[in-house]
Amino acid sequence: MVMKQLLEVFDILDDSTANGERMKDYLLSVNPAANIEVFPLTGPKGSTDVIRVLIPGKNGKSAGRTAPTLGVIGRLGGLGARPVMTGFVSDGDGACTVLTVAAKLLDMQKKGDILEGDVIIATHICPDAPTEPHDPVPFMGSPVQMHQNNETEVLSAMDAILSVDTTKGNRIINHRGFAISNTVKSGYILSVSDDLLDIMQTTTGQLPRVFPLATQDITPYGNDLYHINSILQPATATDAPVVGVAITTETMVAGCATGATHPVDLEETARFVIETAKYYGSGKCSFYREDQFRHLTELYGDMRHLQTLGDTSR
């Protein structure tokens, strides 16, 4: 259970003056040995605080060993849309979830439960992000540009990435809780990971749920194509396999809506991420089949052009 950590994290983030240093102080209170970076990031529409947490594993790369590193990224425009909206918005669920994961893993370390591999958690904290029009419901905007998020959150040390994002403003996911995506790697939409499906049904006690992806969803923002949201944007900045973890609802809910955060859903998502970190670092969870990916590229070639803005001269 991670409800205790979730409620503590939410209390810090549900604040008009929320910032990275305050969250760092909280995480250090959980485990004074925590390795945490916080720094400001300024964009065309304001600024935000980037926060990155390294949870070292027994056999992780930070210890000079070889266990793989899992990246956990919380994607969002902002925690709030002040002054337009009052309070914590639905769009902040991704950040709240991954920071809950950080708090729980730090607490586990303090108590002697240390994972095999490193885990790197990254997100940003902004209580007053702008909004922007989007069909069928308004999107949360961001004070910074997507390439800035990728540059500060998608790190070369990450061997695989879970990208956690509120994904409620659509008509294609019609249940409350969370869903995962196909694995995306180097411009390819690959098969869904059986290992992740197993972990999902164990942590939820239900049949696993997968949300559909279109090709344009895995291309960079800025190409004038429709995207379900920013959940797969990390895949445009790395060759590591990326899986989207979408926090979902039965009905369409705007990212800028307040009163729309469901603690049970976030707690369930956080437990899935934590269990994935346990299995991935110990070599018992694969995001994709390497032999299949190798054969796919032999047959059909390189698809990395989908990680770019494309041919803009046409």
Side-chain angles (χ1 to χ4, degrees), residues 229-273:
N229 65 359
S230 66
I231 192 165
L232 267 306
Q233 287 302 293
T236 68
T238 180
D239 283 325
V242 179
V243 169
V245 182
I247 299 167
T248 61
T249 46
E250 288 186 17
T251 61
M252 290 178 292
V253 177
C256 57
T258 57
T261 293
H262 306 281
V264 172
D265 299 345
L266 272 61
E267 194 272 346
E268 188 174 75
T269 308
R271 280 189 290 108
F272 166 78
V273 173

Side-chain angles (χ1 to χ4, degrees), residues 66-308:
T66 59
T69 300
L70 180 66
V72 180
I73 296 175
R75 273 291 149 110
L76 71 160
L79 305 171
R82 299 172 178 90
V84 176
M85 303 295 291
T86 302
F88 188 90
V89 296
S90 174
D91 197 56
D93 287 358
C96 188
T97 300
V98 303
L99 290 169
T100 297
V101 170
K104 180 61 176 180
L105 290 178
L106 288 171
D107 184 57
M108 288 168 57
Q109 273 206 330
K110 187 173 65 174
K111 294 174 178 176
D113 282 335
I114 301 173
L115 276 57
E116 289 292 318
D118 296 346
V119 180
I120 301 174
I121 295 163
T123 190
H124 71 96
I125 295 175
C126 176
D128 51 7
T131 60
E132 59 186 52
H134 183 266
D135 185 45
V137 295
F139 259 0
M140 281 290 292
S142 176
V144 298
Q145 295 178 319
M146 187 56 65
H147 74 86
Q148 294 177 282
N149 288 127
N150 283 342
E151 289 164 4
T152 55
E153 296 171 358
V154 183
L155 306 182
S156 60
M158 297 173 174
D159 295 309
I161 294 172
L162 293 178
S163 177
V164 185
D165 197 350
T166 310
T167 311
K168 303 175 182 178
N170 61 79
R171 293 186 174 93
I172 60 174
I173 312 174
N174 302 307
H175 74 275
R176 248 193 63 185
F178 73 96
I180 64 172
S181 74
N182 297 64
T183 299
V184 178
K185 176 175 166 58
S186 305
Y188 274 103
I189 300 175
L190 305 177
S191 301
V192 180
S193 164
D194 284 333
D195 292 335
L196 292 179
L197 294 176
D198 288 343
I199 295 169
M200 187 177 185
Q201 66 184 23
T202 297
T203 56
T204 64
Q206 297 178 315
L207 291 173
R209 295 182 171 101
V210 177
F211 69 92
L213 286 178
T215 301
Q216 62 257 41
D217 291 325
I218 69 167
T219 62
Y221 272 16
N223 58 7
D224 297 322
L225 291 174
Y226 177 90
H227 296 75
I228 184 173
N229 65 359
S230 66
I231 192 165
L232 267 306
Q233 287 302 293
T236 68
T238 180
D239 283 325
V242 179
V243 169
V245 182
I247 299 167
T248 61
T249 46
E250 288 186 17
T251 61
M252 290 178 292
V253 177
C256 57
T258 57
T261 293
H262 306 281
V264 172
D265 299 345
L266 272 61
E267 194 272 346
E268 188 174 75
T269 308
R271 280 189 290 108
F272 166 78
V273 173
I274 291 166
E275 293 305 306
T276 300
K278 293 178 186 178
Y279 283 97
Y280 183 74
S282 60
K284 297 177 182 177
C285 172
S286 176
F287 277 47
Y288 71 106
R289 286 182 54 184
E290 294 185 16
D291 60 331
Q292 286 285 290
F293 180 74
R294 183 168 55 252
H295 190 45
L296 188 64
T297 55
E298 288 170 352
L299 290 173
Y300 298 104
D302 193 302
M303 295 293 283
R304 288 185 177 91
H305 59 279
L306 288 172
Q307 296 175 287
T308 74

